[in-house]
PDB file of all heavy atoms in Angstrom:
ATOM      1  N   VAL A   1     -22.580 -46.453   5.567  1.00  0.00           N
ATOM      2  CA  VAL A   1     -21.561 -45.638   4.886  1.00  0.00           C
ATOM      3  C   VAL A   1     -22.111 -44.232   4.678  1.00  0.00           C
ATOM      4  O   VAL A   1     -21.449 -43.233   4.969  1.00  0.00           O
ATOM      5  CB  VAL A   1     -21.157 -46.264   3.538  1.00  0.00           C
ATOM      6  CG1 VAL A   1     -20.158 -45.354   2.813  1.00  0.00           C
ATOM      7  CG2 VAL A   1     -20.539 -47.647   3.751  1.00  0.00           C
ATOM      8  N   ALA A   2     -23.345 -44.146   4.197  1.00  0.00           N
ATOM      9  CA  ALA A   2     -23.959 -42.845   3.945  1.00  0.00           C
ATOM     10  C   ALA A   2     -24.118 -42.034   5.218  1.00  0.00           C
ATOM     11  O   ALA A   2     -23.998 -40.807   5.209  1.00  0.00           O
ATOM     12  CB  ALA A   2     -25.322 -43.033   3.274  1.00  0.00           C
ATOM     13  N   LYS A   3     -24.378 -42.715   6.334  1.00  0.00           N
ATOM     14  CA  LYS A   3     -24.564 -42.033   7.613  1.00  0.00           C
ATOM     15  C   LYS A   3     -23.238 -41.648   8.255  1.00  0.00           C
ATOM     16  O   LYS A   3     -23.224 -40.975   9.300  1.00  0.00           O
ATOM     17  CB  LYS A   3     -25.368 -42.919   8.561  1.00  0.00           C
ATOM     18  CG  LYS A   3     -26.808 -43.121   8.132  1.00  0.00           C
ATOM     19  CD  LYS A   3     -27.488 -44.246   8.898  1.00  0.00           C
ATOM     20  CE  LYS A   3     -27.632 -43.922  10.372  1.00  0.00           C
ATOM     21  NZ  LYS A   3     -28.363 -44.998  11.095  1.00  0.00           N
ATOM     22  N   GLY A   4     -22.138 -42.074   7.670  1.00  0.00           N
ATOM     23  CA  GLY A   4     -20.836 -41.731   8.219  1.00  0.00           C
ATOM     24  C   GLY A   4     -20.378 -42.650   9.331  1.00  0.00           C
ATOM     25  O   GLY A   4     -19.375 -42.376  10.001  1.00  0.00           O
ATOM     26  N   GLU A   5     -21.088 -43.750   9.533  1.00  0.00           N
ATOM     27  CA  GLU A   5     -20.729 -44.683  10.610  1.00  0.00           C
ATOM     28  C   GLU A   5     -19.706 -45.716  10.153  1.00  0.00           C
ATOM     29  O   GLU A   5     -19.042 -46.346  10.976  1.00  0.00           O
ATOM     30  CB  GLU A   5     -21.998 -45.363  11.123  1.00  0.00           C
ATOM     31  CG  GLU A   5     -22.958 -44.365  11.769  1.00  0.00           C
ATOM     32  CD  GLU A   5     -24.335 -44.926  12.024  1.00  0.00           C
ATOM     33  OE1 GLU A   5     -24.655 -46.013  11.494  1.00  0.00           O
ATOM     34  OE2 GLU A   5     -25.113 -44.276  12.739  1.00  0.00           O
ATOM     35  N   ILE A   6     -19.599 -45.908   8.849  1.00  0.00           N
ATOM     36  CA  ILE A   6     -18.536 -46.722   8.257  1.00  0.00           C
ATOM     37  C   ILE A   6     -17.868 -45.845   7.201  1.00  0.00           C
ATOM     38  O   ILE A   6     -18.527 -45.376   6.274  1.00  0.00           O
ATOM     39  CB  ILE A   6     -19.082 -48.008   7.600  1.00  0.00           C
ATOM     40  CG1 ILE A   6     -19.675 -48.953   8.645  1.00  0.00           C
ATOM     41  CG2 ILE A   6     -17.971 -48.721   6.832  1.00  0.00           C
ATOM     42  CD1 ILE A   6     -20.269 -50.221   8.062  1.00  0.00           C
ATOM     43  N   ALA A   7     -16.582 -45.604   7.349  1.00  0.00           N
ATOM     44  CA  ALA A   7     -15.872 -44.749   6.402  1.00  0.00           C
ATOM     45  C   ALA A   7     -15.812 -45.411   5.026  1.00  0.00           C
ATOM     46  O   ALA A   7     -15.677 -46.636   4.933  1.00  0.00           O
ATOM     47  CB  ALA A   7     -14.456 -44.488   6.905  1.00  0.00           C
ATOM     48  N   PRO A   8     -15.916 -44.641   3.952  1.00  0.00           N
ATOM     49  CA  PRO A   8     -15.809 -45.223   2.614  1.00  0.00           C
ATOM     50  C   PRO A   8     -14.524 -46.018   2.422  1.00  0.00           C
ATOM     51  O   PRO A   8     -14.525 -47.052   1.755  1.00  0.00           O
ATOM     52  CB  PRO A   8     -15.856 -43.985   1.704  1.00  0.00           C
ATOM     53  CG  PRO A   8     -16.660 -42.995   2.480  1.00  0.00           C
ATOM     54  CD  PRO A   8     -16.231 -43.206   3.914  1.00  0.00           C
ATOM     55  N   THR A   9     -13.430 -45.533   2.999  1.00  0.00           N
ATOM     56  CA  THR A   9     -12.166 -46.264   2.877  1.00  0.00           C
ATOM     57  C   THR A   9     -12.240 -47.609   3.595  1.00  0.00           C
ATOM     58  O   THR A   9     -11.606 -48.580   3.172  1.00  0.00           O
ATOM     59  CB  THR A   9     -11.004 -45.438   3.456  1.00  0.00           C
ATOM     60  OG1 THR A   9     -11.374 -44.941   4.762  1.00  0.00           O
ATOM     61  CG2 THR A   9     -10.676 -44.261   2.560  1.00  0.00           C
ATOM     62  N   ALA A  10     -13.025 -47.676   4.676  1.00  0.00           N
ATOM     63  CA  ALA A  10     -13.224 -48.948   5.368  1.00  0.00           C
ATOM     64  C   ALA A  10     -14.141 -49.849   4.553  1.00  0.00           C
ATOM     65  O   ALA A  10     -13.948 -51.070   4.489  1.00  0.00           O
ATOM     66  CB  ALA A  10     -13.819 -48.710   6.754  1.00  0.00           C
ATOM     67  N   ALA A  11     -15.146 -49.249   3.904  1.00  0.00           N
ATOM     68  CA  ALA A  11     -16.085 -50.024   3.087  1.00  0.00           C
ATOM     69  C   ALA A  11     -15.361 -50.732   1.953  1.00  0.00           C
ATOM     70  O   ALA A  11     -15.757 -51.827   1.536  1.00  0.00           O
ATOM     71  CB  ALA A  11     -17.172 -49.107   2.534  1.00  0.00           C
ATOM     72  N   LYS A  12     -14.292 -50.118   1.432  1.00  0.00           N
ATOM     73  CA  LYS A  12     -13.529 -50.755   0.355  1.00  0.00           C
ATOM     74  C   LYS A  12     -12.955 -52.090   0.816  1.00  0.00           C
ATOM     75  O   LYS A  12     -12.901 -53.050   0.041  1.00  0.00           O
ATOM     76  CB  LYS A  12     -12.392 -49.841  -0.104  1.00  0.00           C
ATOM     77  CG  LYS A  12     -12.836 -48.662  -0.945  1.00  0.00           C
ATOM     78  CD  LYS A  12     -11.657 -48.021  -1.662  1.00  0.00           C
ATOM     79  CE  LYS A  12     -10.634 -47.472  -0.686  1.00  0.00           C
ATOM     80  NZ  LYS A  12      -9.517 -46.796  -1.390  1.00  0.00           N
ATOM     81  N   HIS A  13     -12.529 -52.171   2.076  1.00  0.00           N
ATOM     82  CA  HIS A  13     -11.962 -53.419   2.588  1.00  0.00           C
ATOM     83  C   HIS A  13     -13.058 -54.424   2.929  1.00  0.00           C
ATOM     84  O   HIS A  13     -12.895 -55.629   2.718  1.00  0.00           O
ATOM     85  CB  HIS A  13     -11.101 -53.127   3.817  1.00  0.00           C
ATOM     86  CG  HIS A  13      -9.896 -52.293   3.508  1.00  0.00           C
ATOM     87  ND1 HIS A  13      -8.881 -52.738   2.696  1.00  0.00           N
ATOM     88  CD2 HIS A  13      -9.555 -51.034   3.885  1.00  0.00           C
ATOM     89  CE1 HIS A  13      -7.957 -51.792   2.577  1.00  0.00           C
ATOM     90  NE2 HIS A  13      -8.345 -50.755   3.287  1.00  0.00           N
ATOM     91  N   ILE A  14     -14.180 -53.943   3.445  1.00  0.00           N
ATOM     92  CA  ILE A  14     -15.314 -54.835   3.701  1.00  0.00           C
ATOM     93  C   ILE A  14     -15.767 -55.470   2.396  1.00  0.00           C
ATOM     94  O   ILE A  14     -16.109 -56.665   2.340  1.00  0.00           O
ATOM     95  CB  ILE A  14     -16.473 -54.049   4.357  1.00  0.00           C
ATOM     96  CG1 ILE A  14     -16.073 -53.585   5.760  1.00  0.00           C
ATOM     97  CG2 ILE A  14     -17.749 -54.896   4.413  1.00  0.00           C
ATOM     98  CD1 ILE A  14     -17.078 -52.647   6.413  1.00  0.00           C
ATOM     99  N   ALA A  15     -15.744 -54.683   1.322  1.00  0.00           N
ATOM    100  CA  ALA A  15     -16.190 -55.164   0.011  1.00  0.00           C
ATOM    101  C   ALA A  15     -15.250 -56.192  -0.596  1.00  0.00           C
ATOM    102  O   ALA A  15     -15.598 -56.829  -1.596  1.00  0.00           O
ATOM    103  CB  ALA A  15     -16.360 -53.984  -0.942  1.00  0.00           C
ATOM    104  N   ARG A  16     -14.063 -56.367  -0.017  1.00  0.00           N
ATOM    105  CA  ARG A  16     -13.147 -57.402  -0.506  1.00  0.00           C
ATOM    106  C   ARG A  16     -13.648 -58.789  -0.155  1.00  0.00           C
ATOM    107  O   ARG A  16     -13.215 -59.785  -0.752  1.00  0.00           O
ATOM    108  CB  ARG A  16     -11.754 -57.191   0.105  1.00  0.00           C
ATOM    109  CG  ARG A  16     -11.032 -55.958  -0.401  1.00  0.00           C
ATOM    110  CD  ARG A  16      -9.873 -55.592   0.509  1.00  0.00           C
ATOM    111  NE  ARG A  16      -8.977 -56.742   0.738  1.00  0.00           N
ATOM    112  CZ  ARG A  16      -8.105 -56.807   1.743  1.00  0.00           C
ATOM    113  NH1 ARG A  16      -8.008 -55.799   2.607  1.00  0.00           N
ATOM    114  NH2 ARG A  16      -7.345 -57.871   1.884  1.00  0.00           N
ATOM    115  N   LEU A  17     -14.555 -58.865   0.809  1.00  0.00           N
ATOM    116  CA  LEU A  17     -15.090 -60.155   1.239  1.00  0.00           C
ATOM    117  C   LEU A  17     -16.379 -60.466   0.484  1.00  0.00           C
ATOM    118  O   LEU A  17     -16.983 -59.598  -0.133  1.00  0.00           O
ATOM    119  CB  LEU A  17     -15.362 -60.139   2.746  1.00  0.00           C
ATOM    120  CG  LEU A  17     -14.154 -59.820   3.634  1.00  0.00           C
ATOM    121  CD1 LEU A  17     -14.539 -59.906   5.097  1.00  0.00           C
ATOM    122  CD2 LEU A  17     -12.987 -60.774   3.331  1.00  0.00           C
ATOM    123  N   ALA A  18     -16.789 -61.725   0.565  1.00  0.00           N
ATOM    124  CA  ALA A  18     -17.992 -62.149  -0.142  1.00  0.00           C
ATOM    125  C   ALA A  18     -19.043 -62.659   0.843  1.00  0.00           C
ATOM    126  O   ALA A  18     -18.729 -63.039   1.972  1.00  0.00           O
ATOM    127  CB  ALA A  18     -17.644 -63.260  -1.148  1.00  0.00           C
ATOM    128  N   GLY A  19     -20.284 -62.625   0.388  1.00  0.00           N
ATOM    129  CA  GLY A  19     -21.370 -63.225   1.149  1.00  0.00           C
ATOM    130  C   GLY A  19     -21.530 -62.706   2.564  1.00  0.00           C
ATOM    131  O   GLY A  19     -21.387 -61.509   2.836  1.00  0.00           O
ATOM    132  N   GLU A  20     -21.802 -63.621   3.476  1.00  0.00           N
ATOM    133  CA  GLU A  20     -22.086 -63.257   4.860  1.00  0.00           C
ATOM    134  C   GLU A  20     -20.898 -62.593   5.544  1.00  0.00           C
ATOM    135  O   GLU A  20     -21.082 -61.774   6.458  1.00  0.00           O
ATOM    136  CB  GLU A  20     -22.508 -64.497   5.645  1.00  0.00           C
ATOM    137  CG  GLU A  20     -22.974 -64.196   7.067  1.00  0.00           C
ATOM    138  CD  GLU A  20     -23.366 -65.439   7.829  1.00  0.00           C
ATOM    139  OE1 GLU A  20     -22.523 -66.364   7.943  1.00  0.00           O
ATOM    140  OE2 GLU A  20     -24.512 -65.499   8.324  1.00  0.00           O
ATOM    141  N   ALA A  21     -19.685 -62.930   5.127  1.00  0.00           N
ATOM    142  CA  ALA A  21     -18.493 -62.362   5.765  1.00  0.00           C
ATOM    143  C   ALA A  21     -18.488 -60.837   5.672  1.00  0.00           C
ATOM    144  O   ALA A  21     -18.044 -60.149   6.592  1.00  0.00           O
ATOM    145  CB  ALA A  21     -17.227 -62.932   5.126  1.00  0.00           C
ATOM    146  N   ARG A  22     -19.000 -60.291   4.562  1.00  0.00           N
ATOM    147  CA  ARG A  22     -19.067 -58.828   4.424  1.00  0.00           C
ATOM    148  C   ARG A  22     -19.962 -58.232   5.502  1.00  0.00           C
ATOM    149  O   ARG A  22     -19.623 -57.226   6.127  1.00  0.00           O
ATOM    150  CB  ARG A  22     -19.627 -58.452   3.050  1.00  0.00           C
ATOM    151  CG  ARG A  22     -18.742 -58.800   1.891  1.00  0.00           C
ATOM    152  CD  ARG A  22     -19.388 -58.417   0.579  1.00  0.00           C
ATOM    153  NE  ARG A  22     -20.660 -59.100   0.392  1.00  0.00           N
ATOM    154  CZ  ARG A  22     -21.459 -58.922  -0.645  1.00  0.00           C
ATOM    155  NH1 ARG A  22     -21.129 -58.048  -1.581  1.00  0.00           N
ATOM    156  NH2 ARG A  22     -22.583 -59.592  -0.774  1.00  0.00           N
ATOM    157  N   LEU A  23     -21.110 -58.857   5.697  1.00  0.00           N
ATOM    158  CA  LEU A  23     -22.044 -58.359   6.704  1.00  0.00           C
ATOM    159  C   LEU A  23     -21.452 -58.467   8.103  1.00  0.00           C
ATOM    160  O   LEU A  23     -21.533 -57.525   8.904  1.00  0.00           O
ATOM    161  CB  LEU A  23     -23.358 -59.150   6.628  1.00  0.00           C
ATOM    162  CG  LEU A  23     -24.178 -58.937   5.354  1.00  0.00           C
ATOM    163  CD1 LEU A  23     -25.258 -60.009   5.242  1.00  0.00           C
ATOM    164  CD2 LEU A  23     -24.810 -57.558   5.357  1.00  0.00           C
ATOM    165  N   LEU A  24     -20.854 -59.606   8.406  1.00  0.00           N
ATOM    166  CA  LEU A  24     -20.304 -59.813   9.742  1.00  0.00           C
ATOM    167  C   LEU A  24     -19.174 -58.840  10.047  1.00  0.00           C
ATOM    168  O   LEU A  24     -19.070 -58.328  11.167  1.00  0.00           O
ATOM    169  CB  LEU A  24     -19.822 -61.263   9.892  1.00  0.00           C
ATOM    170  CG  LEU A  24     -20.908 -62.329   9.822  1.00  0.00           C
ATOM    171  CD1 LEU A  24     -20.300 -63.725   9.933  1.00  0.00           C
ATOM    172  CD2 LEU A  24     -21.942 -62.116  10.935  1.00  0.00           C
ATOM    173  N   LEU A  25     -18.323 -58.567   9.062  1.00  0.00           N
ATOM    174  CA  LEU A  25     -17.241 -57.606   9.285  1.00  0.00           C
ATOM    175  C   LEU A  25     -17.805 -56.204   9.471  1.00  0.00           C
ATOM    176  O   LEU A  25     -17.340 -55.440  10.323  1.00  0.00           O
ATOM    177  CB  LEU A  25     -16.242 -57.641   8.135  1.00  0.00           C
ATOM    178  CG  LEU A  25     -15.069 -56.650   8.235  1.00  0.00           C
ATOM    179  CD1 LEU A  25     -14.369 -56.771   9.587  1.00  0.00           C
ATOM    180  CD2 LEU A  25     -14.084 -56.864   7.089  1.00  0.00           C
ATOM    181  N   ALA A  26     -18.817 -55.855   8.697  1.00  0.00           N
ATOM    182  CA  ALA A  26     -19.437 -54.531   8.837  1.00  0.00           C
ATOM    183  C   ALA A  26     -20.042 -54.358  10.216  1.00  0.00           C
ATOM    184  O   ALA A  26     -19.873 -53.331  10.873  1.00  0.00           O
ATOM    185  CB  ALA A  26     -20.513 -54.337   7.767  1.00  0.00           C
ATOM    186  N   TRP A  27     -20.761 -55.372  10.690  1.00  0.00           N
ATOM    187  CA  TRP A  27     -21.397 -55.271  12.014  1.00  0.00           C
ATOM    188  C   TRP A  27     -20.348 -55.230  13.115  1.00  0.00           C
ATOM    189  O   TRP A  27     -20.503 -54.501  14.094  1.00  0.00           O
ATOM    190  CB  TRP A  27     -22.356 -56.429  12.250  1.00  0.00           C
ATOM    191  CG  TRP A  27     -23.384 -56.662  11.172  1.00  0.00           C
ATOM    192  CD1 TRP A  27     -23.991 -57.845  10.869  1.00  0.00           C
ATOM    193  CD2 TRP A  27     -23.952 -55.699  10.266  1.00  0.00           C
ATOM    194  NE1 TRP A  27     -24.873 -57.682   9.843  1.00  0.00           N
ATOM    195  CE2 TRP A  27     -24.885 -56.378   9.447  1.00  0.00           C
ATOM    196  CE3 TRP A  27     -23.755 -54.331  10.060  1.00  0.00           C
ATOM    197  CZ2 TRP A  27     -25.604 -55.739   8.447  1.00  0.00           C
ATOM    198  CZ3 TRP A  27     -24.475 -53.686   9.058  1.00  0.00           C
ATOM    199  CH2 TRP A  27     -25.385 -54.380   8.275  1.00  0.00           C
ATOM    200  N   ALA A  28     -19.295 -56.014  12.957  1.00  0.00           N
ATOM    201  CA  ALA A  28     -18.222 -55.986  13.959  1.00  0.00           C
ATOM    202  C   ALA A  28     -17.540 -54.624  13.977  1.00  0.00           C
ATOM    203  O   ALA A  28     -17.162 -54.115  15.037  1.00  0.00           O
ATOM    204  CB  ALA A  28     -17.203 -57.085  13.665  1.00  0.00           C
TER     205      ALA A  28
END
């Protein structure tokens, strides 16, 4: 997020998930 590779607005939706799902969605 800090590097600008994931938009903060996108991070808000990734953060809706829990556990490993957050990581997997971010990497995808």
Side-chain angles (χ1 to χ4, degrees):
V1 177
K3 292 167 65 177
E5 296 168 347
I6 294 178
T9 49
K12 285 195 298 183
H13 295 295
I14 293 172
R16 291 164 52 198
L17 302 183
E20 186 181 56
R22 293 179 300 178
L23 293 166
L24 295 178
L25 179 52
W27 308 153

